[in-house]
Amino acid sequence: MCGIVGLLIKNELLRPKIGELMLPMLIGMTERGPDSAGLAIFTEPVADNKRKFSLYTMDEDFSWVTLNNDFHAHFGSEIDLKQVANHAILTTDLDVVTVKIWLNDNYPSIHVLSVGQMMDIYKDVGTPAQVAERYNFQKMSGTHLIGHTRMATESAVTPASAHPFTAGEDWALVHNGSFSNPNSIRRMLAHKGINCETDNDTEAACRFLEWRMG
């Protein structure tokens, strides 16, 4: 059992308050999902030649400054890096695959939660109120969002298993319930070279959709 909330702001004057307006809805879903919470929030798009990477690490002492400096030293390219607790939004004009390979080779503890021009993802373990305070959801601005509160039933309570999951650029999925065949889906995808990072059934659904849409 989980909780799902969504909000679309058509009035441009209210977009700076989308986090404030969403927060009571997310916290109101605590009984349906006290284990973890997450948010996919959409903002105005970055330039056509740029992409935003939502990054996460479980290391609360991780040095994002060091990552920024190493990135610049390796690529000779400036990036925009905005840290929020142990998440960060990295914006660059470099190729997506190139950035992912570099992060995996040099910072394997970093999880890439999403890539796109508009969407940022934040998710972590804890009650919705705790996660919202940790990442300052109340102060976020944007055009629309989708939030999720999780009551774990078939996979571990970890940040990686929290929702939302992504299946392509600016594409988020949250889910309430259980799929009946995630293991067979994972095995089928593994034969195609597509692997899941978690044992969460929603991630299996995302990887399947990503394969079908690819």
Side-chain angles (χ1 to χ4, degrees), residues 36-37 56-58 87 111-113 121 123-125 150 155-166 196-200 202-203 207:
S36 61
Y56 169 81
T57 176
M58 293 186 69
H87 282 57
H111 296 271
V112 178
L113 301 179
I121 283 186
K123 59 182 185 176
D124 209 342
V125 297
R150 181 172 183 243
S155 61
V157 179
T158 65
S161 293
H163 298 209
F165 287 94
T166 61
C196 294
E197 293 184 2
T198 73
D199 58 354
N200 187 282
T202 307
E203 188 195 5
R207 299 291 79 78

Side-chain angles (χ1 to χ4, degrees), residues 42-57:
F42 294 78
T43 63
E44 294 298 327
V46 296
D48 288 344
N49 66 326
K50 293 187 176 182
R51 292 295 183 273
K52 298 195 295 181
F53 294 74
S54 293
L55 308 177
Y56 169 81
T57 176

Side-chain angles (χ1 to χ4, degrees), residues 110-128:
I110 293 290
H111 296 271
V112 178
L113 301 179
S114 68
V115 180
Q117 291 183 282
M118 298 180 291
M119 184 176 72
D120 302 329
I121 283 186
Y122 301 89
K123 59 182 185 176
D124 209 342
V125 297
T127 66

Side-chain angles (χ1 to χ4, degrees), residues 37-156:
L39 186 71
I41 185 164
F42 294 78
T43 63
E44 294 298 327
V46 296
D48 288 344
N49 66 326
K50 293 187 176 182
R51 292 295 183 273
K52 298 195 295 181
F53 294 74
S54 293
L55 308 177
Y56 169 81
T57 176
M58 293 186 69
D59 181 3
E60 295 184 358
D61 297 320
F62 180 81
S63 174
W64 295 102
V65 173
T66 300
L67 184 149
N68 192 353
N69 293 339
D70 288 348
F71 192 100
H72 177 68
H74 183 81
F75 292 109
S77 174
E78 296 292 340
I79 60 173
D80 180 39
L81 189 68
K82 296 179 180 178
Q83 177 188 355
V84 182
N86 51 356
H87 282 57
I89 306 299
L90 183 157
T91 305
T92 177
D93 59 2
L94 293 177
D95 175 73
V96 170
V97 174
T98 299
V99 174
K100 284 186 173 182
I101 291 174
W102 183 83
L103 287 170
N104 185 67
D105 290 345
N106 294 276
Y107 289 94
S109 66
I110 293 290
H111 296 271
V112 178
L113 301 179
S114 68
V115 180
Q117 291 183 282
M118 298 180 291
M119 184 176 72
D120 302 329
I121 283 186
Y122 301 89
K123 59 182 185 176
D124 209 342
V125 297
T127 66
Q130 290 169 337
V131 175
E133 181 178 6
R134 195 174 303 150
Y135 299 105
N136 206 12
F137 284 178
Q138 185 171 359
K139 297 297 184 181
M140 290 185 178
S141 62
T143 57
H144 55 293
L145 58 77
I146 185 166
H148 186 272
T149 67
R150 181 172 183 243
M151 180 181 289
T153 56
E154 44 66 48
S155 61

